[in-house]
Amino acid sequence: MCHNLSKYTPIFLFLTLSGIIFLLRNIHTVENWNCQAISSFYQLQSRIHSSLSVSPFYHNHTYCTHVGQKPSPEDELEERYLLELISWPSPPPHSGPTTLRQTSDPVHSLFAILPTKEGREWHVGDQLEALIQMHDFQGRPKRYGGDFLLARLHSPELGAAVVGQVVDHKNGFYSALFPLLWVGSAQVEVMLVHSSEAVAVLRRLREERADRVFFKSVFRLGLLSETTVCNLCLPTNHQPLCNYTDLHTGEPWYCYKPKVLSCDTRINHAKGGYLKNLITNKEALLFKSGVNLKVYIHASGPDKINVLPQKDKVEEENSTAKPEHIQLETSGYYYMDSWRPLDGFTMRQFNKSSAAVQCLKNKVINMYGDSTVRQWFEYLIGFVPELKEFNLYNPKKVGPLMAVDSTHNILLKYRCHGPPIRFSTVMSSELRYVSNELDGLSGGPNVVVVLSIWSHFSTFPVDIYIRRLRHIRQALVRLIDRAPGTLIVIRSANLQALDQEVSLYNSDWYSQQLDQVLRTMFKGLNVLVVDAWQMTLAHHLPHALHPPPPIVKQMIDMLLSYICPERKKSQK
């Protein structure tokens, strides 16, 4: 009998081998199937939505609002406060559908510089107010607020500029308030970024369509590989999920489970893509470049004033008109194309690489975050020839990155933050949450931590960003407690170029909301801020996600000034 079986052994081996080869060839084709299937589902859903004039049928049946660890009562209280802080006026409900003709039109809108009390001249130290009135495309005055406006006061001749603070009176009128900080000419600029109706669309997308940017991961075991869709929030009614929630922070992350392979075979993370057809054709009219997207509003009269030197105390006290100034949140201004902080801190000019080397000598600089802080890493290694980038064989746009100056004992490092991160392929082993990285630092007077975390959270509800910052803040508190001399610098959000597509994912309105949350959450903590928002808004160069070199230089000068502050001259 054994002899008879041995005759068929080659046949059994051949059939088994053929089956394995067939399985391998077919499983390999699964690699992009899951990603395409889920994407197709979303695209179909979006097309149905875009074909209807009514609100989308999509409902937020995701983990978004319930993922992660349950916040404490104190955390819930802070979250409510922050969400109220950034609350935005909504357009009133209309009896019928809103048409483009009823929305804010920058061409018909106007602003006027309000005169001083008693019509006196302007002096340094005064506060300038420009009153803005919004009209619709029919030329009729708007009766409600909610438009997203930006304002700046500038003097091209002096290389001077400062950001204005916009106050919404919620009746179609807005005030732009400016501190007068230099002698000479000053010109007012007002820009409509989004109409109130466009902001309403952006807010709906943020709350209901956290899936509009999707991610993917490859799972691999030997020759077998599969690709599935991943996100912080995933619909739970399609297929089983792999749970990659971080054990230390409780930060959630999920991927759809591969058909064959197990969850622990994931090898990388990458941006999957952007969903299309998210808005109706009528809504798309609210995001037209040159029409109602980042368009300047003209003045009804003069848009310039002449500013005289500051009055002396006696003259000020004798003045019959004493204006009441509103406290403005102005962090600094440009003069002679150089940024000047207003908090009493002096920013030094690092025009020579030798000055930067002396400042960074014996320092370890750890940069964590998105590509806007990676741009700082790239600027420094380009500006300081002594800093030699060490080849870690990682993608240049992903990292982690490292540069060394062994002569002056300088170590510069960059690592991206954990998901959500819209980079090209990141190996799973390199996905690190910033709070965990901070817990691994010894800290000390020669250690600098630089953080920039905002851009990749714009497509998610704000409470998710609040939770991420809370974990980072807790880690920073622990770092400061064990190493009080550690210098911590936070880079704020900045403005960027917008078209219709970018607006739906990375609008300046999203960035402004996140930036307000960030500043509030880190207020009172021993951290320093480089105000990229005001530096990009005040500057005359076009807005860009990665600001042009002249602006980056100002940011780096600010960073280096924090590391090596100007020594006060001793009085003899």
Side-chain angles (χ1 to χ4, degrees):
M1 182 175 181
C2 291
H3 176 72
N4 291 335
L5 284 175
S6 62
K7 289 195 305 181
Y8 296 104
T9 298
I11 298 175
F12 288 139
L13 288 175
F14 175 77
L15 292 174
T16 302
L17 184 60
S18 300
I20 291 174
I21 292 173
F22 176 80
L23 183 64
L24 288 176
R25 289 172 62 90
N26 283 277
I27 287 179
H28 194 72
T29 63
V30 176
E31 180 164 349
N32 291 314
W33 185 86
N34 288 316
C35 184
Q36 294 168 352
I38 300 301
S39 176
S40 299
F41 171 79
Y42 287 141
Q43 298 285 7
L44 176 62
Q45 200 175 49
S46 299
R47 289 193 189 99
I48 295 173
H49 162 215
S50 63
S51 66
L52 301 175
S53 59
V54 298
S55 58
F57 74 94
Y58 179 90
H59 297 292
N60 192 20
H61 296 309
T62 72
Y63 279 153
C64 259
T65 55
H66 302 291
V67 292
Q69 298 172 342
K70 180 176 174 58
S72 67
E74 294 80 8
D75 291 341
E76 287 184 338
L77 188 64
E78 180 187 41
E79 184 176 306
R80 281 198 299 272
Y81 168 76
L82 291 168
L83 294 178
E84 289 175 7
L85 180 69
I86 63 171
S87 62
W88 200 270
S90 299
H94 293 277
S95 55
T98 303
T99 65
L100 178 67
R101 291 163 56 84
Q102 299 171 288
T103 66
S104 301
D105 176 19
V107 174
H108 281 96
S109 302
L110 49 89
F111 74 86
I113 296 175
L114 299 185
T116 61
K117 290 184 178 181
E118 299 183 356
R120 66 182 179 87
E121 62 276 350
W122 300 101
H123 290 266
V124 170
D126 289 341
Q127 195 172 98
L128 176 69
E129 180 178 359
L131 186 65
I132 307 159
Q133 185 179 22
M134 300 303 296
H135 292 75
D136 63 19
F137 280 85
Q138 301 174 85
R140 299 181 305 186
K142 296 285 291 288
R143 303 298 183 190
Y144 52 90
D147 297 300
F148 182 33
L149 302 170
L150 297 175
R152 67 189 283 258
L153 186 71
H154 68 113
S155 172
E157 302 87 0
L158 299 172
V162 68
V163 169
Q165 183 170 316
V166 177
V167 178
D168 187 350
H169 300 297
K170 302 180 181 179
N171 57 3
F173 286 90
Y174 302 78
S175 290
L177 304 170
F178 307 90
L180 298 183
L181 300 168
W182 62 83
V183 175
S185 68
Q187 181 178 358
V188 174
E189 264 186 11
V190 179
M191 173 190 285
L192 172 69
V193 182
H194 294 303
S195 66
S196 55
E197 293 78 14
V199 170
V201 174
L202 296 177
R203 178 166 45 201
R204 189 195 75 224
L205 290 176
R206 184 178 65 187
E207 301 307 318
E208 298 181 3
R209 296 307 305 261
D211 62 332
R212 63 190 184 280
V213 176
F214 65 97
F215 306 85
K216 61 183 180 180
S217 278
V218 172
F219 297 76
R220 181 168 294 149
L221 182 63
L223 297 177
L224 307 182
S225 66
E226 298 181 70
T227 300
T228 72
V229 167
C230 306
N231 214 322
L232 199 149
C233 329
L234 285 175
T236 60
N237 54 349
H238 296 132
Q239 63 190 83
L241 299 178
C242 290
N243 185 350
Y244 297 107
T245 298
D246 183 65
L247 298 177
H248 298 285
T249 62
E251 287 287 352
W253 190 256
Y254 300 92
C255 294
Y256 283 119
K257 189 178 183 304
K259 297 293 184 182
V260 176
L261 297 176
S262 64
C263 293
D264 58 6
T265 59
R266 183 178 67 143
I267 64 168
N268 63 27
H269 162 93
K271 179 183 72 176
Y274 297 90
L275 299 186
K276 308 297 181 182
N277 304 313
L278 291 167
I279 56 177
T280 66
N281 292 333
K282 286 184 178 180
E283 289 172 338
L285 297 176
L286 300 173
F287 301 93
K288 289 292 184 182
S289 298
V291 177
N292 50 16
L293 176 60
K294 284 207 169 183
V295 178
Y296 288 107
I297 295 173
H298 296 292
S300 60
D303 60 357
K304 292 182 181 179
I305 64 168
N306 187 56
V307 185
L308 300 176
Q310 189 168 13
K311 290 182 177 181
D312 56 40
K313 290 185 178 180
V314 176
E315 190 179 3
E316 190 70 38
E317 289 173 358
N318 293 335
S319 176
T320 56
K322 294 182 179 179
E324 296 180 1
H325 286 184
I326 295 176
Q327 186 66 36
L328 301 181
E329 298 175 354
T330 309
S331 65
Y333 67 106
Y334 286 106
Y335 190 76
M336 301 300 290
D337 294 319
S338 177
W339 184 254
R340 297 189 175 187
L342 285 173
D343 57 0
F345 186 85
T346 301
M347 189 185 86
R348 299 170 57 191
Q349 294 289 317
F350 290 84
N351 297 322
K352 295 182 178 179
S353 63
S354 57
V357 168
Q358 288 305 310
C359 175
L360 297 176
K361 189 175 180 179
N362 297 319
K363 294 287 192 296
V364 177
I365 303 95
N366 302 278
M367 295 181 170
Y368 302 104
D370 53 40
S371 60
T372 60
V373 77
R374 187 192 71 223
Q375 185 184 26
W376 286 13
F377 178 95
E378 294 165 348
Y379 182 92
L380 281 172
I381 62 174
F383 177 58
V384 181
E386 290 87 348
L387 273 171
K388 304 299 183 184
E389 187 171 4
F390 193 84
N391 190 355
L392 298 174
Y393 298 98
N394 294 317
K396 292 285 187 182
K397 299 298 182 182
V398 176
L401 307 173
M402 184 170 70
V404 178
D405 176 358
S406 56
T407 304
H408 300 96
N409 196 31
I410 303 170
L411 177 59
L412 177 65
K413 297 190 289 184
Y414 163 78
R415 178 178 287 278
C416 68
H417 64 69
I421 187 88
R422 297 181 218 144
F423 283 1
S424 57
T425 306
V426 184
M427 300 308 294
S428 299
S429 59
E430 297 294 355
L431 285 175
R432 313 277 182 86
Y433 289 95
V434 171
S435 52
N436 293 340
E437 292 296 298
L438 294 173
D439 283 336
L441 291 180
S442 300
N446 292 322
V447 175
V448 180
V449 173
V450 183
L451 304 174
S452 181
I453 300 159
W454 56 278
S455 179
H456 298 251
F457 288 83
S458 58
T459 56
F460 295 95
V462 179
D463 57 306
I464 288 172
Y465 185 61
I466 293 172
R467 182 182 61 217
R468 181 64 59 91
L469 291 188
R470 185 182 297 126
H471 292 146
I472 293 172
R473 184 178 62 187
Q474 291 167 349
L476 287 177
V477 169
R478 291 190 292 268
L479 175 59
I480 294 170
D481 285 345
R482 68 177 178 270
T486 308
L487 181 68
I488 300 161
V489 180
I490 295 178
R491 182 201 188 281
S492 77
N494 61 262
L495 296 140
Q496 58 186 299
L498 296 181
D499 55 22
Q500 180 187 119
E501 184 174 3
V502 175
S503 295
L504 303 184
Y505 309 100
N506 259 46
S507 165
D508 288 340
W509 182 77
Y510 292 138
S511 303
Q512 184 264 356
Q513 296 249 296
L514 298 182
D515 192 53
Q516 201 171 353
V517 167
L518 180 142
R519 293 171 190 266
T520 305
M521 290 189 69
F522 287 95
K523 194 173 184 179
L525 199 62
N526 188 19
V527 300
L528 301 168
V529 176
V530 174
D531 198 335
W533 184 268
Q534 294 197 21
M535 284 179 158
T536 51
L537 174 52
H539 208 279
H540 63 86
L541 287 174
H543 302 159
L545 175 60
H546 301 108
I551 300 178
V552 177
K553 182 199 182 305
Q554 301 297 315
M555 297 177 183
I556 295 297
D557 282 350
M558 197 72 198
L559 171 65
L560 295 176
S561 298
Y562 283 147
I563 298 172
C564 306
E566 187 176 62
R567 295 179 180 177
K568 294 182 180 180
K569 296 179 181 179
S570 58
Q571 295 181 349
K572 294 183 179 179

